[in-house]
DNA sequence: TATTTTTTGTTGCATTTGCAACAAAAAGAA
DNA sequence: TTCTTTTTGTTGCAAATGCAACAAAAAATA
């Protein structure tokens, strides 16, 4: 069995570590860039959907969003249709941070696939997307308190 | 540009979250399984090499190893050749935990690549290995305090 | 040899993380 | 409608995480 998990874990921790160092320049603390980009790309998204995009605990997302709001990167807007949820939008400050984050991410993607042909890049993306879809099923299952059998 | 980073981040967080929940059964707290498997597979490894395998901060590794030792999963042995480093070995308890961790990891690898042909599995592994090698260069560069240009 | 640099490891501090337990609104069922 | 379940969000812990600053041994250089 090919141990792809380990490779993925290593890549993810390394990349995340790099990003966190680089985004200190924007006064974004650990992990916050993850939330901010998604809110910029999905203006009006609610917290629950956001956490599903990122794959993080509900409480973690709640606090990351709180902090992003406190620091003026995003704002929560009431939904007249729904008293429970709040829609999340980037502020001007948040929007201003977006291009830098995006540029960094694009650079990292390029660097990560350095030496890849176009076909290999396509292949990598498509395989990873399939892996992600497989994994998110189990994630939701386990997060809901169910037990995997193996 | 294909956004493989995001896919990798999602997969990694989801999988890590699943593992942390499942390994509570072994009395392993968050992240500890990462260290324990590597020590089992590389008996005598020193902390610095361990952290490079995992891609985690030096201080994080120090404390994870301390805790693993305190809980009796591993032991540190002096190296007569070297007064600075200590070699890490699994205890009987650590060795006993290994098969369960391994089994869980194999299951997750299988699940992640569900629907993949043998060729696709090989391809995924090989592409990920190449990505990991690319990424670890930048990680070491940035961790040493250098600045990436983009 | 002596001196400088690199490697390896530790701790203080501030922060993030996530499980649990809870609350309240929304959605679904009776 | 009323009752039940699901969805969404929050907070109190306890723990992990990582940067910074430090220390000491080892390795490299003069």
């Amino acid at each position: 069995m090919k141990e792809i998990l380990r490779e993925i874990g290593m890549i993810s921790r390394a990349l995340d570590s790099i990003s966190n160092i680089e985004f200190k320049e924007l006064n974004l603390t650990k992990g916050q860039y993850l939330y901010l980009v998604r809110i910029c790309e999905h203006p009006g998204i609610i917290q629950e959907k956001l956490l599903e995009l990122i794959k993080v605990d509900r409480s973690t997302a709640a606090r990351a969003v709180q902090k992003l709001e406190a620091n003026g990167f995003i704002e929560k807007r009431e939904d007249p249709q729904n008293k429970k949820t709040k829609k999340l939008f980037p502020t001007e400050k948040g929007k201003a941070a977006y291009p830098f984050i995006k540029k960094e991410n694009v650079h990292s993607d390029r660097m990560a696939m350095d030496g890849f042909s176009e076909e290999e890049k396509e292949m990598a993306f498509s395989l990873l997307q399939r892996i992600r879809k497989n994994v998110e099923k189990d994630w939701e299952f386990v997060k809901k308190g169910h037990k995997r059998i193996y």
Side-chain angles (χ1 to χ4, degrees), chain A:
Chain A
M1 176 51 49
K2 292 294 164 195
E3 304 228 318
I4 55 154
L5 262 78
R6 281 201 202 181
E7 300 294 331
I8 289 176
M10 285 187 263
I11 297 165
S12 173
R13 281 185 296 273
L15 240 18
D16 195 50
S17 164
I18 292 173
S19 295
N20 285 325
I21 290 169
E22 294 180 332
F23 293 141
K24 267 191 280 187
E25 192 170 325
L26 296 175
N27 294 314
L28 286 172
T29 56
K30 186 165 178 276
Q32 293 199 290
Y33 73 97
L34 295 170
Y35 303 85
L36 183 53
V37 267
R38 263 92 169 182
I39 293 170
C40 287
E41 291 169 9
H42 303 273
I45 193 174
I46 65 166
Q47 206 168 282
E48 185 73 12
K49 294 300 156 204
L50 184 58
L51 98 234
E52 284 168 15
L53 285 182
I54 301 179
K55 312 285 182 240
V56 85
D57 190 74
R58 189 171 292 143
S59 61
T60 307
R63 281 184 265 241
V65 165
Q66 273 165 13
K67 180 153 188 185
L68 239 17
E69 189 192 21
N71 294 347
F73 288 100
I74 63 153
E75 58 172 339
K76 292 181 175 179
R77 288 195 210 146
E78 314 257 326
D79 182 350
Q81 314 297 308
N82 190 318
K83 281 175 213 158
K84 192 168 53 163
T85 59
K86 292 209 174 68
K87 297 184 163 201
L88 307 174
F89 291 90
T91 58
E92 286 309 314
K93 183 180 174 185
K95 284 183 203 164
Y98 181 75
F100 183 80
I101 300 177
K102 194 65 192 162
K103 200 168 94 177
E104 194 266 3
N105 285 347
V106 166
H107 176 74
S108 289
D109 273 313
R110 279 220 185 88
M111 171 279 288
M113 294 189 287
D114 185 48
F116 281 38
S117 69
E118 281 310 310
E119 293 71 40
E120 285 171 333
K121 287 182 190 178
E122 294 287 339
M123 178 63 80
F125 182 65
S126 131
L127 292 172
L128 281 166
Q129 241 182 351
R130 285 166 66 193
I131 293 171
R132 189 254 302 162
K133 282 173 193 162
N134 281 335
V135 168
E136 67 191 0
K137 275 185 231 143
D138 269 26
W139 181 67
E140 277 155 32
F141 183 76
V142 172
K143 277 301 245 182
K144 274 188 186 120
H146 302 124
K147 221 171 134 59
R148 302 198 299 175
I149 308 296
Y150 47 92

